[in-house]
Every structure is written in C-alpha cells, then in structure tokens.
Amino acid sequence: MTSITFLFFSQRLKMTLTKKKEVDSVIRDTIDKVLVLRFGKASDLVCLQLDDILEKSVREVSKFASVALVDIDSEDVQVYVKYFDITLLPSTIFFFNAHHMKMDSGTADHTKWIGAFQRKQDFIDVVEAIYRGAMKGKLIVSCPLPPERIPRFQLIFKDV
Amino acid sequence: MDNTEDIIGDSFLADLDDLSFCDSKEEDMNVSVNYDDLESVSKLQKTQGYLDMMKKVEDKLENKGNMSDLGDDNLEYKLIVECNALSADIDSEIVTVHNFIRSHYRHKFTELESLVPHPVDYAQVVKKIGNETDLTLVDLQGLLPSDSIMAVIASTTSGKPLPEENLKKTIDACDCILSLDLGKNKVLEFLESILGYVAPNLAVLVGSAVAAKLLGTAGGLPALVKMPACKVQLLGAEEKILAGLSSAHFRKQILKKIEKWQEPLPVRDADHKKKRGGGRISKKKHRYGVTNTRELVNQIQFGLPEESFLDDRFGEGYGMLGPSGSEEVRLPIRWRRLVAHFTKKFKDMHVVRSGASTGFTSCQAFTHAQGI
C-alpha cells in the first residue's frame, strides 16, 4: 500500500526519463544549474525514499538545481548505465553545464552518490556544495555531510 | 452648549442600553444575524442627540452669515468634535442598516452585494430593482458606473422574489440609508463652513474632512498649532493602529509572509560583493581601524610586568606606551576619573608607596611584612 502511494509521489512532479535522447537533451539543456540525475527503479524501497526527498526539495532548490529521474529498466538507457558503471540502486549523478561533477564523500566511489538521503536538508547541502564548487570551476567537491549520514555500500568488484 | 452636551451624553448612554437590548434579542434568534425589524437595527435617527445636531446643522446652513458665536476657541473645537463623532456614528449606522438590507435582499439577488459593495449605492440599486425579476427592464443609469451596470444586468441569479412585507422592510431600510447619507453630507457641509472660519487654510490644503479629523484628534486649533511636525504625522497613526488589527489587513500581511517563506532558496553568492582596493579605499578603512597608539598599547614587552595607570592590579595596561616605551602618556579623562576613584577607595589599604605621591608609576609595594 505504501509503495503505491510512493509511486504516486515520485511520478507527480519530476520527469521520469526512459529514452537516451531524453537524457541527452536534459543534460544538454540544463544551463547554469546543477542537474541531479537519479538512476533507479520506482519499485525499490530505497529509491522511493530518495524520490520522496527529491520530490520535497525540487521547488526549494529550483533556482540552482533541477532534478530528473531515469528508469534503469528501460533498454535505451543501458548505455548510460554501463558508462557510469551503475550497479547499486539508487545512484545519483550530478552534472553542471553538461559536465559530470564528482563528490568525495568518504566512500570508494566519487563519481556518484549511492543510496538515499536521510534528510531533505542533507540533499540541499549536497546540491549547494556542488553548485558552489562548479561555479568556482572545480571538477570535484567534498561532501559537506558528516560521515554518519552518508550511506555506506560495499563495492563488489566483478570477477574478484 | 452644555445643555446639548448633557443631552448628547444621555442619548449616548441610552444608545448603549438600546444596543445591549438589541444584542440579547439577537441571541434569542439563531446563529446568523437576521434582523427582522428595522426599528431595532437603526436607532440613531431617533436619538435626541442626532436630532439636535441635525437641527443645529440645518439652522446654521440656512443662515450662513451668522457665525458670531464661534468666537470662542473652545466652542469651535467642541463643535468640530461633535460633528466628527456624528459623522462617524452615521457611518456605523449605515453599515448596520446595510447588513440588514443584505440579509434580506440576498435571497433575491445574491451576487449584488459583491458587485456593488458600497452601502449607499447598494441601497439605491436595491430600491430601483425592487422585486423585478428581469434586470434588463431596470434603468440603473446614473446610479452606477456603466461597467458595474453591465455586470449587474449580465449576472444570472438563482434568487427568488421577496414576499411583500420583507420587500417593504427592505425598501424602508434603503430609504433609511439614503436619508442617513443625506444627513452625513449636511454635517460635512456644516463642518466645512465651520472650518472656513476656524482654519481656512488647513481646510483648503488637506480637505475639510481631514482637517476636521486633525483638529479633533489634536484637541483643538491651539493644540494642533503647537505640535511639532513629527507629532502631526502620528495623529493619523492612532486610527491606523485600530485599522491594522482588522482581520482583512492582518490576513493580507500573514499571507505575504507565508509567500515569502515558500519561495525557493536563493542562489548562493549570486550577489557578489565587490571588494575594492586602492589608496583611497585603504585610507578610508584605516580611519576606523586600529590606530598607532592602540597598536603600541597592544604590544607588551616580553618578560616585564605590564604597567598601568592604576595599581598593578587594576586599570588597563599600556603596553609599549609609557615608561617602557618612548611615548609620553597623557591619560584620557575617564581614566583620570578612575584613578581618583581608586586612590580614594583603596587608600585605606596598607600598601605604602615608596616615595611616589601619585599612583602613576608602578613600583615595589612596601607593606608591613617588609618591616616598615
């Protein structure tokens, strides 16, 4: 029951992208704003939590960020899944002016944010850190959150 | 004058009693304010005070030349206050009767009260329309501006015509409002003519109604004249305070605040402060910065106890200034006062100075322990 209501929320305001062209155009067309691209499934619990937070903060960060959701299940998008090496869900990738922004949050993977955010304010802080770093011309920023609130995942390498 | 004052006072008291009587009557009826009787609603026109004032007003308006009894300042002021009060009373009375009319007429034509908000216009339109169902037959020319007339005629209403007795009551109430409005106009005319004698220039500058209110709130012409300009501004503020507590105004303010809170977050560092350099800016900054004297005071000689203008224990030290430095120390006045205070206060303490008569120079303290 709860998952159905979450579904409703996540599809309400933000765009869910299923085609490569759509993803391309979104990345290209977001100018001078951070683009938050979430890769995930609408049925996954952690995804839904993340979507909830994103939903709630979309309007508040709208002056310096925009949010888009990408559905991993679609065929078209597998190119990106492979390119960004997305294995754990949900993964969030940040762009600024079509440039991929990395963030060092103390985890092994700096290229994306894995997992959900604990609070809305955490998400806003992360987006702001990325924005400020990007405006200064940095390519990688450090995460403003304390380590307790950063979700930890074990990266399992294939064939190892 | 005193006679009319007493009568007015009594009539006001009588009004108050009547009002409370009215309230209890309302409580007997159910929730919504549903006046059934114009008599209980509109009492003002029957009060003695009202009748007296109106008589005075009409008399004066007829023999305009006869203003000789306005020689006394006090009298003029009282008259103006009375006129003010009367016009305010008439206003509130109009509002009450307007509510009365609305409560009846909304069964017939619900939208009219929002299309024509002004009470007097509403009363005139109601009187013209009466119980008519076809609005195109009604001629509203001259009563309202043409776009309002269009709006009124175009509105389709789900109301039903009023029963005969209700209609009669409504029309009576409309007549009541119209006569009250006439009365108010007369009072204002009267007021203008008084002001023409009391404070003609003021009346021309700001208009007679405002001038009357100013005089009334100030407490008479001599009082108004003595006020500094800033106080005159505050005269209007008294009214504003009461108006600010009105719900509509309050609500607007609250809504504005909520809207502000709900705005999206601003972009960080978007308003970049330009920091400028250069000799001119630097000089400006240094005017409020640390001075050379203060810099010397902040520095302390290493290894030596700091000297101060009071005893070693008290007072602000003067670092590299003073004997350990090369500058002559001239104490600021407040420090000198402190010195006087402390020397007086602590002169009883058994700490003897070795020769120096002032406490300015620090030296070894010779106490009994040293065996003096």
Side-chain angles (χ1 to χ4, degrees), chain B residues 17-29:
Chain B
D17 288 338
D18 292 331
L19 277 176
S20 56
F21 174 72
C22 257
D23 279 35
S24 62
K25 226 185 172 184
E26 280 170 41
E27 276 161 13
D28 290 337
M29 303 179 188

Side-chain angles (χ1 to χ4, degrees), chain A residues 59-60 62-63 128 131-132, chain B residues 262 264-269:
Chain A
R59 188 163 183 271
E60 262 189 273
S62 57
K63 284 197 178 169
E128 186 194 315
Y131 181 80
R132 296 181 83 182
Chain B
Q262 286 183 325
L265 295 172
V267 177
R268 289 299 300 264
D269 300 335

Side-chain angles (χ1 to χ4, degrees), chain A residues 99-117:
Chain A
H99 189 94
H100 173 42
M101 295 292 298
K102 302 193 195 162
M103 184 165 70
D104 177 8
S105 38
T107 55
D109 189 352
H110 297 177
T111 58
K112 50 178 102 61
W113 173 275
I114 300 179
F117 294 92

